[in-house]
Amino acid sequence: MLKNSPTSVKPQNKLMGADSGLGTGPGPAVPWRKVLWERQPFPDNYVDHRFLEELRRNEGLRQYRYWAVVREAGLVAQQISCVALFLTLWLYMEQGLLSPSTLLWSGLLCALLGYGFYQALGPQGDSDSQQRTRWSDLQSASIFLSFTFGFSPVLRTLTESVSTDTVYAMTALMLLAHLVSFPYAQPSPPGSLSLNAALFASVCLASRLPGDHRASRGLNSSSPSSLHTFTMLCWALLVFALWPCLRQRLRECAPQGFGCVCLLMGLSGVGGLGSIWPGGAVLLAAVLGAVTLLCPLLLIRLQSDKDNIHGPWDEAEIREDLARFLR
Amino acid sequence: MVLKIFFPQCCNKADSGLLVGHWLPGQDSAVVLAVIHYPFIPGQVKQYIHQVGCVGVGWKNEEAGGEGKTKEEKTGEEGDKVIFVHYEQRKVMLSQLHPTDPPVPLTQSTSELRQVFGTVSQSESLFFLDKYDDSPVKLTHWQSEGREGSIIVELMKQASTPVCLLTAWILVVCSLSVSVSRILNVFPLRFISSKLCSCVQLSYRTEHLQTVSSPTRATSHTDYMRKANIFMSFLLDVTLGLLLIYWLYRENRVGQLANALLPAADRVAKELEELLQWLMGAPAGLKMNRALDQVLGRFFLYHIHLWISYIHLMSPFIEMILWYVGLSACLGLTFALSLLSDIIALLTFHIYCFYVYGARLYCLKVYGLTSLWRLFRGRKWNVLRQRVDSCSYDMDQLFIGTLLFTILLFLLPTTALYYLVFTLLRMVVVMVQGVLQLTVDFINSFPLFALGLRVFRSYTLAEGVKFSVLCEEPGTPLHLMMDINPLKFSSVVQTYRTATYSCYPKDSWLALCKKLFLGELIYPWRHKTTKID
């Protein structure tokens, strides 16, 4: 445990103009006042013994505890493993190990399961509002599916003329942006930038899938079929948009289950990547370990080097409590 | 104090007599206008002088052979220096000091030179009596040898009134008939006729003719010059037009032109088709989205096909149309040029259409992209506050927005390329039309009459005067000769340019570039609806 108490600064007597000893006779009879507009017999940069009396160090310092920080850092690790899982699915589809139809049906199944869990864990309102919520959810789902299906043929040839390196670079950038801008504190309505970046990356990846040889016999073999694109986009929606909501609900209602789920996600991420690319799995494990275990340690260790000073020279903070003006 | 006396040169050799003239207040100058010879009856002379409105000063001009030495006594102060400034009366009488406007009455505040010129030109009534008239008063001035006149000028003056009346009547009838026929279809015809250069030019010339053929005389110098300039430019225009007609119809050139027109239109269409095929491939190594490329390319190719069919349909009538259109050049070369500009506009109508399609598509895309980019970052345009604010979107809005953003972003290079190509083509056509318009404008506004005056009678347009010393000896007054400094050519053109509906660029370069970038439709030339002077 680290403790920091605010220290006080001893008055510095060797500052110039201190009233104890000028050498040119006794000090002036009038005491020095800290005002700006009055002409005083002191030089302009004179300070007296009360200098820096109001200095406070490190006030409002938080006391971190290691395991609490680790638990919070686990959220970041979880999001990283989500991304890794998504990439694993893409790799599987690219290498032809999974067919899009199986993936599609499993995705649909997962969505239904997840929705069931969500409703089961959710607050029990009256059946009327639940009915309305279910109806609006159904509407949203149908809009998603129809739009995605409608745009898939357009989306699949979108990056045909862009070189593969550019596509991969854009994907990496977008996923990084997604991780950086993810609202870890409140993930339930997903943040705009993070969700959009993830979807952009998934569209880029989806247009790079190899084609379905049955459907595209006469065409260029590297253009993916619409089903690939559709599957990819559905899974992107599941992983990046709907899973955080379920996770948040789980965390609120069943904290122990939440811990298990976190662990499961991490392991499946590493395992999935390991089945295709072992080097990547090692890298992912290292990153996860660093984020979860090393960074909190660093944070707590470095707290002792903190040295903030506060004083009356700080900017004024407006407190939100203006209710006393409303009579 | 120095006294200046402006003395006409024609009176140098006159017999002795009484000098009549004007005294310029506040300038210590006097302008001598004429000499009344002996013998005269003082009462009649006084009456005459009063009638004419001059001041007669009791000086005597004593002639002593060759150079007249004048002894004068000034009423009033003695011992002043006197300067004699000799001026040529005819030239000063006929000239006009620039800048002419505004014509102010001669007060003490106008400059001395202006007062001198004004005095001489306003004393026209003094110069009517010449030596052949039987009047009790005998004068010497610049017209005393006989009044200036020419038979041609007199005949034209007599003929001008009925001609003016006739022209005015014809114009009224024409405008009435046009306005009657226009009442039938108010909106479309007016819109079309405001866009066609030839209609604009026609209305402009009608206005000019109305100015010229008004039966009232021109009062001020500016009006007179303007009428004369308009008339001369109209004559020049018609002459050039008749020359053009002569050249066109001499060796059946109209037929040759008509025969050359159809292959030219075909060739333009072929070039456009090749351009589109090039765009549909991989132009300049750029990578286009194949599907969109094909769609756009096929769409434009179909348009060209339609256009070619239309031209082929019209081909039997082209020669006849051209023949009648060529005849209309008798109304002036400017009319023919504006007709040519209109024909070019009609022939390249498909380029204009392509430009509008490409620009609209591009504009829509840019607008969509900017709006969706804001959605990407989680922001929105606040219309009330006219700024960008943060906004929390729904999940489906986000999803669909991202999809559309991705699609628009990747399709942007294709659309941008088509837009660029068609904008360049349109710019070329606009440049050609602009050059024609500038020529028409030049012919319309060039002040031919004023330039002719400046070349042949340079003293009529005066900018100032210059003095040269005639005789400078101690003991005698200083004699100076005043010569008129004519106006510079550039000033002549600038002052007497006829007001036109000249077209000038509507936007600055920066605004134009911004409009091009955003895909807004540009109409670079703007016709001024009100005249400028």
Side-chain angles (χ1 to χ4, degrees), chain A residues 140 143-144 147-148 151 155 157-159 161 170 190 192-193 195-197 199-200 203 237 241, chain B residues 287-290 375-378 391 393 395-396 398-400 402-407 409-410:
Chain A
S140 301
I143 289 179
F144 292 154
F147 253 94
T148 318
F151 276 132
L155 288 170
T157 51
L158 214 51
T159 58
S161 53
M170 270 197 307
S192 298
L193 185 58
L195 184 62
N196 287 336
L199 286 176
F200 193 94
V203 168
L237 192 65
Chain B
K287 301 200 181 119
M288 319 277 277
N289 188 313
R290 202 178 305 156
L375 182 141
F376 196 90
R377 286 172 19 229
C391 168
Y393 289 98
M395 187 99 72
D396 37 0
L398 280 178
F399 189 65
I400 295 172
T402 308
L403 277 186
L404 284 176
F405 177 73
T406 321
I407 292 174
L409 187 67
F410 281 111

Side-chain angles (χ1 to χ4, degrees), chain A residues 86-109:
Chain A
F86 182 70
L87 284 177
T88 314
L89 284 174
W90 179 76
L91 277 172
Y92 268 107
M93 272 224 280
E94 200 216 354
Q95 296 192 351
L97 297 170
L98 267 183
S99 82
S101 37
T102 31
L103 213 56
L104 195 61
W105 288 116
S106 53
L108 220 57
L109 202 67

Side-chain angles (χ1 to χ4, degrees), chain B residues 100-114:
Chain B
T100 48
D101 35 34
V104 289
L106 295 177
T107 57
Q108 283 203 1
S109 57
T110 51
S111 73
E112 181 177 356
L113 206 57
R114 206 173 274 279

Side-chain angles (χ1 to χ4, degrees), chain B residues 117-161:
Chain B
F117 274 72
T119 312
V120 175
S121 56
Q122 278 167 12
S123 314
E124 212 176 309
S125 50
L126 187 61
F127 303 133
F128 272 167
L129 295 177
D130 55 16
K131 71 179 186 193
Y132 301 108
D133 282 331
D134 281 331
S135 78
V137 184
K138 296 255 182 296
L139 292 170
T140 302
H141 48 75
W142 66 280
Q143 263 191 352
S144 55
E145 300 293 321
R147 248 185 293 164
E148 255 192 14
S150 83
I151 296 182
I152 300 177
V153 171
E154 291 302 315
L155 276 177
M156 280 178 64
K157 274 194 194 156
Q158 294 297 324
S160 67
T161 316

Side-chain angles (χ1 to χ4, degrees), chain A residues 33 207 209 290 292 295-296 301:
Chain A
R33 289 192 308 143
S207 62
L209 286 173
T292 317
C295 292
R301 277 283 166 79

Side-chain angles (χ1 to χ4, degrees), chain B residues 342-356:
Chain B
D342 283 335
I343 287 177
I344 288 180
L346 282 179
L347 280 184
T348 56
F349 190 63
H350 51 334
I351 293 184
Y352 175 65
C353 279
F354 288 171
Y355 165 68
V356 169

Side-chain angles (χ1 to χ4, degrees), chain B residues 493-504:
Chain B
V493 172
Q494 205 176 348
T495 321
Y496 289 110
R497 276 188 53 156
T498 322
T500 60
Y501 58 92
S502 65
C503 47
Y504 65 101

Side-chain angles (χ1 to χ4, degrees), chain B residues 195-209:
Chain B
K195 293 284 172 209
L196 287 177
C197 306
S198 36
C199 293
V200 174
Q201 174 72 10
L202 208 58
S203 69
Y204 180 64
R205 273 293 183 219
T206 319
E207 234 175 275
H208 272 187
L209 277 181

